[in-house]
Amino acid sequence: MNKKIAGSWLKGAVALLALSGLGAPVSALSMMVWDQGMETKLAYGELEGGVMRGRVISDATGRVVVLFSRSDVERGRAQYSGLRARYEGELRGGQVMIRVPSGLQSLEQFLAAYKLKVELTEIPGGR
């Protein structure tokens, strides 16, 4: 294979990976917020440089299930080892609240214990 063909093939492979998302880095920690019946996703976020960034449906309210998922690499580091995969909570006017033993705590307060910040952008729900 000559250099011109090899270079062309490599560029094509890199472009294909970029379009497919396979070349994208995997977030160490992600979050999804579902309604109580696990039928509708109401919010989501991914960790980017110490900040949980994502979106939340602005007019959604009520009881929710908050799910956290750690990548295999993150599990190996155990940085968020006390974080469970599932929490009960509530959604109030675009704010995610997590049920802890002492009551409800905002997502911001909850993740501050792990030295993380939260930036959720409100989006219309169309309900």
Side-chain angles (χ1 to χ4, degrees), residues 35-115:
D35 68 343
Q36 193 68 26
M38 300 286 290
E39 296 172 2
T40 305
K41 188 182 341 179
L42 303 172
Y44 69 90
E46 289 188 350
L47 189 62
E48 297 175 15
V51 179
M52 180 66 71
R53 288 188 169 83
R55 297 179 184 249
V56 60
I57 296 177
S58 60
D59 60 349
T61 59
R63 296 180 66 184
V64 296
V65 176
V66 182
L67 303 175
F68 289 99
S69 175
R70 295 184 292 160
S71 70
D72 290 340
V73 171
E74 175 49 43
R75 281 188 203 101
R77 281 192 238 149
Q79 187 173 359
Y80 311 111
S81 61
L83 187 66
R84 296 191 327 242
R86 179 186 172 118
Y87 293 87
E88 300 296 317
E90 292 183 17
L91 198 53
R92 299 178 183 169
Q95 182 153 5
V96 178
M97 307 294 289
I98 295 181
R99 189 164 308 284
V100 294
S102 61
L104 287 174
Q105 190 175 59
S106 72
L107 181 63
E108 290 82 0
Q109 291 171 322
F110 181 80
L111 290 179
Y114 297 96
K115 296 179 176 50

Side-chain angles (χ1 to χ4, degrees), residues 4-42:
K4 191 173 188 178
I5 293 173
S8 176
W9 177 86
L10 182 59
K11 286 179 186 175
V14 169
L16 182 60
L17 280 172
L19 289 174
S20 68
L22 294 176
V26 176
S27 175
L29 180 66
S30 61
M31 173 197 73
M32 287 188 287
V33 179
W34 294 83
D35 68 343
Q36 193 68 26
M38 300 286 290
E39 296 172 2
T40 305
K41 188 182 341 179
L42 303 172

